[in-house]
């Protein structure tokens, strides 16, 4: 059985409120803080979650398509906090490779509510614990 999950593309921004408002207006959606997470804003439309925006004070605009630019986006997979360990086992079983950021304490083995991985092709994503009432359980 698969743990219920939903995905949110998260954009980093030095001014997340402005970026979230931009996308909310552009998409006819609303923007507000993620419940239980002071660093993440969620842009929500009629169909549910559309986009996340996270504060990064050192954010540099993308140099795309130049390859030497920094990571500008990553996939954030929201999981019920009680199912985070099981979701991690699923991801690793499917071929995800755990990675650690030197500045988040995860190299010291802490089990945080944010766990970072590389997919089999090397793309970054994170499993993020969130309250059960936020994670839709009936979507395929």
């Amino acid at each position: 059985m698969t743990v219920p999950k939903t995905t949110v593309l998260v954009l980093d921004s030095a001014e997340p409120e402005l970026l979230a408002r931009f996308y909310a207006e552009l998409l006819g959606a609303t923007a507000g803080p993620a419940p239980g997470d002071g660093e993440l804003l969620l842009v929500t439309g009629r169909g549910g979650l559309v986009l996340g925006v996270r504060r990064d004070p050192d954010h540099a605009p993308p140099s795309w398509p130049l390859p030497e630019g920094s990571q500008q986006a990553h996939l954030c997979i929201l999981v019920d906090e009680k199912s985070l360990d099981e979701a991690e086992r699923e991801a690793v079983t499917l071929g995800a490779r755990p990675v650690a950021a030197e500045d988040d304490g995860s190299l010291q083995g802490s089990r945080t509510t944010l766990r970072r991985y590389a997919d089999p092709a090397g793309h970054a994503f994170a499993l993020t614990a969130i309250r059960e009432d936020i994670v839709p359980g009936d979507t395929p």
Side-chain angles (χ1 to χ4, degrees), residues 2-85:
T2 301
V3 172
K5 306 171 189 76
T6 190
T7 58
V8 177
L9 178 65
V10 176
L11 300 176
D12 293 343
S13 175
E15 299 181 76
E17 295 84 2
L18 293 174
L19 189 60
R21 188 169 52 241
F22 166 81
Y23 278 106
E25 291 179 17
L26 181 67
L27 301 171
T30 60
D37 187 337
E39 294 296 320
L40 182 66
L41 297 171
L42 296 176
V43 178
T44 309
R46 285 179 282 231
L49 293 174
V50 176
L51 185 67
V53 182
R54 183 185 70 89
R55 181 177 309 282
D56 176 4
D58 300 320
H59 173 75
S63 60
W64 185 86
L66 299 176
E68 55 273 350
S70 65
Q71 174 186 325
Q72 297 298 314
H74 63 277
L75 185 63
C76 181
I77 301 172
L78 306 178
V79 179
D80 173 26
E81 57 195 351
K82 295 179 295 221
S83 300
L84 187 59
D85 289 338

Side-chain angles (χ1 to χ4, degrees), residues 95-97 117-125:
R97 180 176 48 85
Y117 306 87
D119 69 18
H123 302 108
F125 74 94

